[in-house]
Amino acid sequence: MSCKVIAIENQKGGTGKSTTALNLGVGLHNAGKKVLLIDADPQGSLSISLGIKRPDELDISLATVMGNVIDNKSFEDDFGIIHCDEGIDLMPCNVELSGIESYLFTVMSRECIMRTYVNQIKKNYDYILIDCTPSLGLLPINAFVAAESIIVPSQPRILSTKGLDLLLRTYSQVKRGINPDLKIDGILFTMVDARTVNDRSVIESMRETFGMKINVFDTFIPASVRVTEANMEGKSIFAYDNKCKVADAYRNLTKEVLEIAAREKARFRNDGSR
């Protein structure tokens, strides 16, 4: 089984990373893919959005797994993985991951701990999505090293988009120094009110600024109270309201992500046949 690993990151909080990880993951599952979500944010927002009401009470989480990797302890592939009602798997997270991040500064090959874990389990999945913490510290860098590509959710606000330069600098450093195959699948605009001139103009400006170098997804995720309601219910938007405009948007995003993967596979086959 060939697995694609995608990190979902923006160092600015409140851009819809966890919502995108959840709904893209379920969208990929609905398209017939086997999917694992890794919650790599100590706040545990993704875990909570999947119905785990008190992630801090979990006996096993990503912190446990990364601690085992650091200590060179063996464990089964499904160790700590939760099989969710909507057909996706979850490696949950809680506040203990903050301690692991601090500990990483003392560890050899500190940027590669998550990659060691992902490489062990990726044979079991078609897609692994990593929901990153809103920072550019060692946890997101671990995710970038483990991943093949990055999706960057961003609100269409001037202040939200200004921070992209710093993220792109970190991406370039990881690509140059540790993970030369890392790519950016695209910038995804979230919480968009297409009725406002501001949102439309920021999106258009971003397409002009980054469009030649970085893909900007055709799909944008509209602002909707249905997203908040679904998260509070511990469900994806598909399970909560399958016919709403946000569900349609995430279905379209899923198609775009699958098309990117299909083009990459075709390019790889063509390169291999030369």
Side-chain angles (χ1 to χ4, degrees):
M1 182 182 290
S2 176
C3 176
K4 180 167 183 179
V5 184
I6 304 173
I8 300 176
E9 169 65 328
N10 189 327
Q11 78 272 20
K12 188 179 187 304
T15 60
K17 292 187 301 298
S18 299
T19 298
T20 294
L22 169 58
N23 291 299
L24 176 57
V26 174
L28 290 166
H29 166 74
N30 292 343
K33 305 301 182 182
K34 187 160 177 55
V35 180
L36 171 68
L37 305 184
I38 296 179
D39 188 350
D41 183 350
Q43 297 179 75
S45 298
L46 178 58
S47 301
I48 293 169
S49 296
L50 274 163
I52 299 171
K53 295 191 174 5
R54 288 181 282 275
D56 289 345
E57 296 178 6
L58 291 170
D59 291 330
I60 303 171
S61 67
L62 181 61
T64 319
V65 168
M66 291 184 69
N68 284 353
V69 172
I70 292 168
D71 294 336
N72 201 26
K73 294 180 180 176
S74 62
F75 52 92
E76 297 296 323
D77 289 356
D78 62 353
F79 178 71
I81 288 176
I82 296 171
H83 306 291
C84 302
D85 291 341
E86 295 190 54
I88 55 177
D89 286 353
L90 171 70
M91 170 50 68
C93 184
N94 56 32
V95 71
E96 291 181 10
L97 192 63
S98 294
I100 290 291
E101 183 172 33
S102 300
Y103 183 45
L104 283 173
F105 286 98
T106 68
V107 173
M108 291 286 290
S109 303
R110 60 182 67 89
E111 302 92 351
C112 303
I113 303 303
M114 198 178 298
R115 180 167 68 182
T116 300
Y117 171 58
V118 166
N119 285 347
Q120 175 176 329
I121 60 170
K122 66 191 298 186
K123 62 183 178 292
N124 302 318
Y125 296 96
D126 298 303
Y127 282 86
I128 295 176
L129 308 183
I130 306 173
D131 179 32
C132 298
T133 183
S135 74
L136 289 175
L138 273 174
L139 287 175
I141 289 173
N142 261 262
F144 287 5
V145 173
E148 294 169 45
S149 65
I150 304 168
I151 291 176
V152 185
S154 178
Q155 291 187 53
R157 313 284 187 270
I158 295 298
L159 290 177
S160 181
T161 57
K162 278 185 175 179
L164 287 174
D165 287 340
L166 186 56
L167 186 150
L168 295 176
R169 196 176 310 141
T170 301
Y171 154 75
S172 296
Q173 290 170 347
V174 172
K175 182 178 177 69
R176 184 170 59 249
I178 310 174
N179 185 2
D181 296 326
L182 186 64
K183 301 178 180 67
I184 295 180
D185 279 344
I187 298 168
L188 171 70
F189 284 106
T190 60
M191 306 177 201
V192 175
D193 186 347
R195 300 169 298 178
T196 67
V197 173
N198 178 74
D199 282 19
R200 294 199 304 271
S201 64
V202 170
I203 291 173
E204 189 58 38
S205 173
M206 289 288 286
R207 289 191 192 281
E208 292 175 2
T209 302
F210 292 103
M212 295 297 290
K213 297 178 181 177
I214 300 171
N215 176 50
V216 178
F217 286 104
D218 292 333
T219 301
F220 63 79
I221 310 301
S224 173
V225 70
R226 307 301 276 171
V227 172
T228 304
E229 293 170 351
N231 289 343
M232 290 176 66
E233 290 287 325
K235 297 178 180 178
S236 74
I237 196 65
F238 302 110
Y240 185 75
D241 186 353
N242 192 43
K243 296 183 179 179
C244 74
K245 60 185 180 179
V246 178
D248 287 340
Y250 276 112
R251 267 189 287 271
N252 290 333
L253 175 65
T254 301
K255 291 176 185 175
E256 285 197 67
V257 169
L258 289 169
E259 287 167 0
I260 290 170
R263 289 196 298 269
E264 288 171 350
K265 286 183 179 178
R267 189 160 52 242
F268 179 78
R269 283 196 300 268
N270 291 338
D271 291 344
S273 62
R274 288 173 186 168

